[in-house]
Amino acid sequence: VVDPGEMISLKEILAKKRDPLIIMFNRLDYEQNLGAILRTAWGSDVDAVIVNPSGIHEVTPVVSKVSMGGAAFVPLISMSLFQALDQLKDAAVEVVGVEVGQGSPYFQKDLTKGIAILFGGEAAGLSQPLMERCNSFINIPMIGTLASLNVSVATAIVLFDRLRQKSLG
């Protein structure tokens, strides 16, 4: 259980965990999405959720309720994504960006090792400066004219494919 009074840092997680699973978000504007992401993160063995402090970045009553307990078990770290990306690079953790039309379909990428997965936000995808910090990209193939999915849904698709891949290994 994550003690809200005891803030854990990304550096501490990277020092403790050999093959971490970190998920990061450019900007979240809705508490319900953060709650759903924390619930998914809890169910898929995520070591930390990193959010940009300019958006929704803390566990509110709505976030807590929607997370159905996830907020108590998955560390939520509010920090500059650029600082986080620097720390991940120093720890030799691959950063995979999830972006429409970039890279290969998520199910073709090996997601089973230590990895940081970077998602855009609800209103916009990844900025060019963030994309430049990614080691590789994946996308979620779409049919028709729909460009993208809700960020919490996209997160669930990628994380649970990682679990599927790990179960096959």
Side-chain angles (χ1 to χ4, degrees):
V1 175
V2 177
D3 178 0
E6 179 191 336
M7 300 302 291
I8 189 163
S9 72
L10 177 59
K11 280 186 181 176
E12 291 171 299
I13 291 168
L14 294 173
K16 290 180 189 176
K17 187 82 180 201
R18 180 185 162 114
D19 288 319
L21 173 55
I22 309 293
I23 58 175
M24 307 169 65
F25 298 89
N26 188 20
R27 181 182 168 94
L28 297 176
D29 296 316
Y30 302 105
E31 294 170 288
Q32 293 84 351
N33 278 338
L34 180 54
I37 287 165
L38 288 169
R39 184 175 184 180
T40 297
W42 181 30
S44 57
D45 204 28
V46 169
D47 294 301
V49 175
I50 299 176
V51 293
N52 186 327
S54 69
I56 301 297
H57 63 276
E58 59 190 8
V59 178
T60 64
V62 170
V63 170
S64 181
K65 182 177 181 176
V66 174
S67 80
M68 299 295 288
F73 290 93
V74 181
L76 176 64
I77 301 171
S78 173
M79 69 182 295
S80 156
L81 296 187
F82 293 102
Q83 289 175 349
L85 290 164
D86 287 343
Q87 290 178 29
L88 290 162
K89 181 179 180 182
D90 291 346
V93 174
E94 181 182 8
V95 176
V96 177
V98 180
E99 185 63 30
V100 175
Q102 298 290 318
S104 60
Y106 67 93
F107 49 81
Q108 293 178 353
K109 172 78 174 164
D110 178 3
L111 301 171
T112 60
K113 58 191 178 302
I115 194 170
I117 306 171
L118 177 59
F119 295 86
E122 291 106 351
L126 297 174
S127 68
Q128 192 60 40
L130 287 173
M131 289 177 70
E132 290 170 4
R133 301 279 190 103
C134 294
N135 299 105
S136 62
F137 292 93
I138 58 176
N139 66 67
I140 299 172
M142 306 292 287
I143 294 173
T145 58
L146 181 63
S148 66
L149 298 171
N150 173 284
V151 68
S152 68
V153 172
T155 301
I157 288 170
V158 172
L159 290 178
F160 282 97
D161 193 64
R162 180 179 189 271
L163 285 181
R164 180 195 63 81
Q165 289 179 22
K166 286 185 82 132
S167 74
L168 297 175

